[in-house]
Amino acid sequence: MVKKAVPFIALAALLVFPLVVKSDYYQHLMILVLMWVVIGSAWNLIAGYTGQVSFGDAAFFGTGAYTAGLLVTKLGWSAWWGLFFGGITAVLIAMPFGWICFRLRGAYFALATLALNEIMRHIATIWEKLTYGMLGILIVQTFASKLPYYYISLALAVISLITVRLVMRSKYGYYFLSIREDQDAAESMGINTHHYKMISLVIAAALTGVAGALYMNYMGFIDPHVVFSLHDISIMAILVGIVGGVGTQYGPAVGAFIMVAVQELFRTGGYGLISKLAKASGSETIISLSEFITKAHVMGFGILVVVAILFLPNGVVGDWNKITRLVLQKKIKGG
Amino acid sequence: MDLFLQALVSGLLRGGLYALVGIGMTLIMGVMKIINLAHGQLMMVSMYITFVCFTSLGIDPYVSLLICMPVLFLIGVIIQKYLLNPLIRVETILPENQVLMTVGIGMVLTETMRFIFTSDYKSVKTSYSNATFFLGNISFSVPLVIDLGFVTLLTWVLFWFLNKTDTGKSIRATAQDKDAAILMGVNSEKITYITFGIGSALVAAAGALLIPIYYLFPDIGGEFTRRAFVICILGGLGSTVGAIFGGITLGLAEAFGATYVAMEFEDVIGLVIFILVLLFLPGGFRRLIKI
């Protein structure tokens, strides 16, 4: 009973969040979290549920973002059309890719997605007439306030969670799971695995493309290295999935929150806390140590990847029982 | 014609080095069945070791092979023993956890090097870095020719090791059928980290050999990781002979692409080959030569 209510309570909290917390900074972080919920859910559908691990979500994300940006610069439309067309172009990229590459399995498929990621980035860099290459695309944001962006992101996040939920509760969901568990068995039961993998990929690509278009609208600037980034987008998407919980409904939502928070924690050096504390202590070595930590934020992020995979392979949601057991045991021992 | 021959020569010379990068990766792939996406980053570490040896100790890059190969061997063993092997025992839904782990390791390596050496471009300028000799109208870069010698030597040693020694035979047995190898009394866990160590040492050699004619910065690793997996796919995952052919093919393709298409397409060509091989020759050269 309580468990069922948690998503609704979370949603209610998210609805009032920007009305309570007026700080632009925290609203910005929450918008990012919600964007990652969309991408994470999409990744979770294709990788977590269907078992086809994608290392190239940035290809779809960047396609969506570039679609939104090019609609403005080339056609003079509003970038918000990108939310619709971004998803479509991402699907247009995903369809031939999936058709070719779904004959590959496991690690081969993961490599193919990685290659797609790289190819898209090179195209965006080299095809300067269309994409302006490394100059990137700059558009004027529609709203000065963060509130509209926040609610649009929230709506998209909710839509993507509902989409994944509906898909997984339908016949398709069971087909996806059967492909993940044993592709040959699924095939021998008469499931057209290629077909259903394509459906899963198309849904995932559409959602990721929409998230990309949202990014373009919100940030107002993109270039190939930002939106086709392997580390910042593709790997981050996997991390959101893994830290949250692979193959769980709300895992990506939890993962998105944790990952954005952690990334920001590393980037700002504990929200500036570390450097403040260091200055307060007055010791030279501690100050230089705090600078070291702040400078090494990407390294910290990498270490986090390593630690998360080692100790939380099924994510916070997937390993929830394990975590609670550990905490409870400590309490019992302590008490 | 001269242009063609020139592209051919520089492609072949470069391909030799790529082969060395690819062999390391394909060995790891063959035994552990994982794609080591930190491969280029390991090479980058070795390049920095060579750089430090050259600038502060004055050791010639070729001599520093003796330093960076053992160091990287050790790093490889540590990575496999303490970071990758524990993952085998963990139960997860996705089998790709180990691959993801190598990505994390790659990130840590890159950032560690960026932290120590900053993002600036570095290079090792030896007296022979720009030396060339001519045969007819075709120029041969002296360091690349020396490199090819080293590559041949190292490959020969590796094949001798794999074919003649007990450890080498155990490695091949584990790659063929892990369970059967364990039943025959092979300590497969030890084999995994020896293999990772050898793979790392080989790519370390490639890094040290490349540094006199190349530049160096922390993000260079990704470029070579990408090349390495293209080579592996080309040669057939797990096939060492295939990796040699794969490396040379990639070297040639890049050289011809840069000569006849355009410089900026050099990076794209590898990826195009990758997709073409997946489409028309899944399994790579291995399927053709049956090794």
Side-chain angles (χ1 to χ4, degrees):
Chain A
M1 200 58 212
V2 181
K3 261 193 177 167
K4 270 190 183 163
V6 169
F8 294 102
I9 297 169
L11 180 62
L14 284 172
L15 275 172
V16 295
F17 171 82
L19 306 175
V20 180
V21 182
K22 296 279 183 209
S23 150
D24 268 2
Y25 174 64
Y26 287 106
Q27 289 186 4
H28 166 75
L29 286 186
M30 280 313 287
I31 292 171
L32 288 186
V33 168
L34 293 168
M35 187 188 85
W36 280 108
V37 172
V38 179
I39 303 170
S41 315
W43 182 85
N44 195 30
L45 184 69
I46 180 74
Y49 285 124
T50 322
Q52 309 300 312
V53 177
S54 156
F55 274 73
D57 264 27
F60 309 128
F61 181 83
T63 310
Y66 263 95
T67 310
L70 292 175
L71 282 176
V72 179
T73 51
K74 295 287 178 190
L75 296 176
W77 294 11
S78 161
W80 291 105
W81 282 106
L83 288 186
F84 179 67
F85 289 106
I88 292 180
T89 44
V91 169
L92 288 181
I93 299 286
M95 295 246 276
F97 171 77
W99 188 75
I100 295 171
C101 293
F102 269 136
R103 62 189 75 184
L104 309 167
R105 288 194 183 182
Y108 283 92
F109 178 75
L111 276 184
T113 54
L114 194 71
L116 178 72
N117 191 156
E118 297 286 303
I119 289 174
M120 292 305 291
R121 195 182 72 228
H122 282 300
I123 291 176
T125 314
I126 294 173
W127 196 357
E128 286 181 354
K129 273 191 189 134
L130 180 72
T131 63
Y132 307 99
M134 291 301 288
L135 285 178
I137 296 175
L138 183 69
I139 64 167
V140 183
Q141 284 146 302
T142 326
F143 309 108
S145 152
K146 298 220 181 284
L147 268 185
Y149 293 109
Y150 180 84
Y151 284 110
I152 292 166
S153 318
L154 183 60
L156 285 177
V158 172
I159 289 172
S160 60
L161 282 174
I162 291 175
T163 312
V164 172
R165 187 178 176 79
L166 287 180
V167 169
M168 287 318 292
R169 288 192 141 198
S170 69
K171 192 175 70 177
Y172 295 101
Y174 291 100
Y175 287 163
F176 293 166
L177 286 181
S178 72
I179 293 171
R180 181 186 79 191
E181 291 304 324
D182 192 332
Q183 197 171 319
D184 296 317
E187 192 110 26
S188 64
M189 299 299 276
I191 297 171
N192 184 348
T193 52
H194 195 268
H195 178 72
Y196 287 103
K197 282 194 272 186
M198 283 291 282
I199 291 177
S200 176
L201 179 70
V202 161
I203 299 171
L207 287 175
T208 317
V210 171
L214 175 73
Y215 183 87
M216 175 82 244
N217 273 298
Y218 175 56
M219 288 301 194
F221 174 75
I222 51 169
D223 76 29
H225 281 254
V226 172
V227 291
F228 289 114
S229 161
L230 178 65
H231 283 163
D232 296 342
I233 309 290
S234 296
I235 301 298
M236 178 81 168
I238 300 173
L239 282 178
V240 165
I242 287 198
V243 169
V246 176
T248 56
Q249 167 77 50
Y250 295 107
V254 177
F257 189 81
I258 297 175
M259 285 317 291
V260 172
V262 167
Q263 200 178 27
E264 201 58 21
L265 190 77
F266 276 119
R267 202 175 62 77
T268 55
Y271 301 103
L273 207 71
I274 293 176
S275 66
K276 263 184 210 158
L277 283 177
K279 284 209 179 95
S281 75
S283 150
E284 279 286 325
T285 44
I286 295 181
I287 289 177
S288 57
L289 190 73
S290 77
E291 275 167 5
F292 174 87
I293 292 171
T294 320
K295 255 204 254 169
H297 69 270
V298 189
M299 197 200 300
F301 194 68
I303 292 170
L304 186 81
V305 178
V306 172
V307 172
I309 300 168
L310 268 180
F311 298 108
L312 275 182
N314 290 319
V316 175
V317 176
D319 279 337
W320 185 247
N321 289 334
K322 196 166 130 191
I323 298 169
T324 45
R325 211 166 43 223
L326 272 178
V327 175
L328 283 179
Q329 267 174 1
K330 264 189 195 150
K331 264 190 190 159
I332 292 164
K333 269 183 199 162
Chain B
M1 194 60 197
D2 279 351
L3 193 66
F4 175 81
L5 281 177
Q6 184 65 62
L8 187 74
V9 164
S10 60
L12 279 175
L13 288 175
R14 237 191 211 212
L17 275 181
Y18 289 172
L20 206 54
V21 179
I23 291 173
M25 181 118 152
T26 213
L27 261 185
I28 294 169
M29 176 71 213
V31 174
M32 272 83 82
K33 313 285 178 232
I34 59 161
I35 299 153
N36 175 20
L37 289 179
H39 207 62
Q41 279 76 5
L42 288 169
M43 178 170 174
M44 180 262 310
V45 171
S46 134
M47 285 163 104
Y48 270 111
I49 294 174
T50 317
F51 170 77
V52 170
C53 282
F54 183 76
T55 46
S56 48
L57 303 172
I59 299 173
D60 190 89
Y62 292 123
V63 181
S64 69
L65 273 181
L66 295 173
I67 300 168
C68 64
M69 282 180 72
V71 170
L72 264 283
F73 181 84
L74 220 67
I75 294 178
V77 168
I78 291 169
I79 288 176
Q80 180 67 30
K81 195 170 180 186
Y82 295 105
L83 295 174
L84 293 174
N85 272 346
L87 289 182
I88 300 173
R89 281 173 232 122
V90 178
E91 269 193 32
T92 52
I93 297 175
L94 297 176
E96 275 78 6
N97 263 3
Q98 290 186 327
V99 181
L100 195 60
M101 176 62 104
T102 62
V103 175
I105 294 166
M107 270 168 92
V108 174
L109 290 177
T110 308
E111 294 310 319
T112 315
M113 288 303 146
R114 196 197 308 287
F115 194 75
I116 302 172
F117 297 99
T118 72
S119 291
D120 296 345
Y121 280 60
K122 311 251 194 262
S123 61
V124 171
K125 281 278 157 270
T126 51
S127 52
Y128 48 81
S129 276
N130 293 322
T132 48
F133 64 87
F134 284 86
L135 278 183
N137 285 326
I138 316 298
S139 75
F140 289 75
S141 151
V142 172
L144 270 177
V145 174
I146 302 174
D147 286 354
L148 197 65
F150 273 105
V151 171
T152 322
L153 180 74
L154 282 169
T155 325
W156 183 79
V157 170
L158 178 76
F159 275 80
W160 172 82
F161 172 75
L162 286 179
N163 287 317
K164 300 289 176 200
T165 62
D166 270 0
T167 321
K169 283 177 184 167
S170 307
I171 290 177
R172 287 196 301 144
T174 316
Q176 267 180 16
D177 190 332
K178 196 177 168 190
D179 293 330
I182 293 172
L183 288 175
M184 295 300 129
V186 172
N187 182 350
S188 77
E189 190 151 326
K190 197 172 129 200
I191 292 300
T192 54
Y193 51 78
I194 290 179
T195 312
F196 206 102
I198 294 174
S200 311
L202 285 175
V203 81
L209 292 174
L210 195 63
I211 189 79
I213 47 160
Y214 220 66
Y215 49 89
L216 172 60
F217 65 105
D219 289 315
I220 204 170
E223 211 175 290
F224 282 96
T225 304
R226 205 196 59 237
R227 284 200 178 110
F229 81 65
V230 171
I231 294 166
C232 280
I233 294 284
L234 252 174
L237 291 176
S239 158
T240 32
V241 180
I244 297 174
F245 284 109
I248 291 171
T249 314
L250 182 67
L252 285 174
E254 281 188 6
F256 280 113
T259 315
Y260 290 105
V261 188
M263 228 18 214
E264 71 244 37
F265 286 99
E266 196 184 306
D267 292 333
V268 187
I269 284 163
L271 296 167
V272 174
I273 292 178
F274 174 79
I275 298 285
L276 288 179
V277 170
L278 285 182
L279 273 180
F280 298 110
L281 194 68
F285 288 139
R286 193 186 191 178
R287 281 218 351 216
L288 298 180
I289 52 180
K290 307 271 184 219
I291 297 176

